[in-house]
Amino acid sequence: MPSQNFILDALSPADYEWLRPLLTEVQLQQSEVIYEFDEQITAVYFPTTCLFSLITLTAQGDRVEVGVTSYEGMVGLPLSQGEDRSPLRVEVQLSGKALKLSSKDFLAAIDRSSTLRQRIANFTHLRIVQLAQSALCNRFHTVEERLCRWLLAAQDRAETSEFSLTREILAEMIGAGRPSVSIVSGTLQTAGLIQSDRGKITILNREEMEEAACECYRIAKTAFDRYLAKQIQP
């Protein structure tokens, strides 16, 4: 039975049967913190239906998201490089389920499965692309472009057009002020691209959203699609 996580579903039947009893399905709620900055990683998570945000913070507590992960990947990636502490805050952005695996069992699984090691290497490359584009986007692109990029990336992973997100959350995710996000949301709604009401945002016109987004979305989406299409040779 497929796990609904892209990394785990790449495993051979024998490797997955070995790993399956060690996985625990967990239901995660929006805003739940998985790791704080520099916290020891005691377990990794393979999302199936939830969406994780990777967040960096200033000393004053200001936040900006630098990446998202859902069914295509995992959180706790530093363990695969020999690091046991999280360089970022990781929290749940969209509620849903994930498969939890202890750090000890994760390291044993890496030793056992060359396929798992290769898929994690592929995912690491995708994460590097995502981090690079997020840094560039937050420095050079407008609030409207960044908001469109974020919503499109979330839709690609959550496979839904409706999100339970306040403007405060969106402002934090894209590193903008709430007033700016409110103005941009209103503009996009007037143009018929989204519907924003009472903590919910619905994408109405994806094609025009893609036109309004910056090139960062297209670059990251191309890397995302290549990652999903990549076959691992036995």
Side-chain angles (χ1 to χ4, degrees), residues 1-221:
M1 182 176 180
S3 69
Q4 295 184 283
N5 176 273
F6 187 69
I7 290 177
L8 296 181
D9 286 344
L11 298 179
S12 69
D15 282 348
Y16 185 63
E17 284 304 308
W18 174 85
L19 186 61
R20 185 166 62 172
L22 305 175
L23 296 164
T24 302
E25 186 175 69
V26 290
Q27 177 72 43
L28 302 172
Q29 302 303 319
Q30 188 176 48
S31 300
E32 188 172 344
V33 177
I34 303 302
Y35 314 124
E36 292 285 5
F37 168 72
D38 203 35
E39 181 179 342
Q40 186 172 17
I41 300 170
T42 59
V44 302
Y45 295 78
F46 296 91
T48 56
T49 61
C50 69
L51 179 74
F52 290 120
S53 283
L54 283 67
I55 298 165
T56 187
L57 302 92
T58 67
Q60 292 73 37
D62 297 318
R63 300 152 39 101
V64 65
E65 183 188 81
V66 295
V68 293
T69 298
S70 187
Y71 72 91
E72 81 281 4
M74 59 171 289
V75 295
L77 192 60
L79 278 178
S80 66
Q81 281 90 49
E83 299 292 337
D84 67 351
R85 293 190 174 275
S86 178
L88 300 165
R89 179 186 174 102
V90 178
E91 62 184 52
V92 181
Q93 199 53 255
L94 298 177
S95 301
K97 295 179 180 180
L99 294 168
K100 183 179 179 180
L101 182 67
S102 74
S103 297
K104 178 182 176 182
D105 290 336
F106 174 67
L107 294 174
I110 289 177
D111 286 340
R112 175 188 176 93
S113 175
S114 61
T115 302
L116 180 59
R117 292 195 297 273
Q118 183 60 59
R119 184 63 84 198
I120 289 173
N122 296 152
F123 179 65
T124 300
H125 174 75
L126 178 65
R127 174 64 54 76
I128 290 170
V129 173
Q130 189 180 64
L131 291 172
Q133 290 305 135
S134 292
L136 185 147
C137 194
N138 291 333
R139 170 65 178 84
F140 291 108
H141 293 146
T142 66
V143 173
E144 179 175 310
E145 289 172 324
R146 283 147 50 198
L147 180 58
C148 288
R149 171 184 62 84
W150 195 94
L151 290 171
L152 289 167
Q155 186 181 39
D156 291 337
R157 290 159 175 79
E159 299 181 343
T160 180
S161 59
E162 184 176 287
F163 307 99
S164 295
L165 293 166
T166 65
R167 291 177 181 179
E168 288 85 355
I169 289 175
L170 283 173
E172 288 182 346
M173 292 305 95
I174 66 171
R178 186 189 181 285
S180 298
V181 170
S182 295
I183 292 170
V184 168
S185 296
T187 300
L188 294 175
Q189 181 164 276
T190 300
L193 275 63
I194 66 170
Q195 175 68 38
S196 178
D197 182 49
R198 297 182 181 180
K200 287 190 177 181
I201 292 184
T202 304
I203 296 177
L204 301 178
N205 190 326
R206 182 179 173 94
E207 184 176 338
E208 290 193 19
M209 283 277 286
E210 289 182 3
E211 292 179 3
C214 54
E215 69 271 17
C216 294
Y217 169 69
R218 290 180 285 278
I219 292 169
K221 180 63 163 59

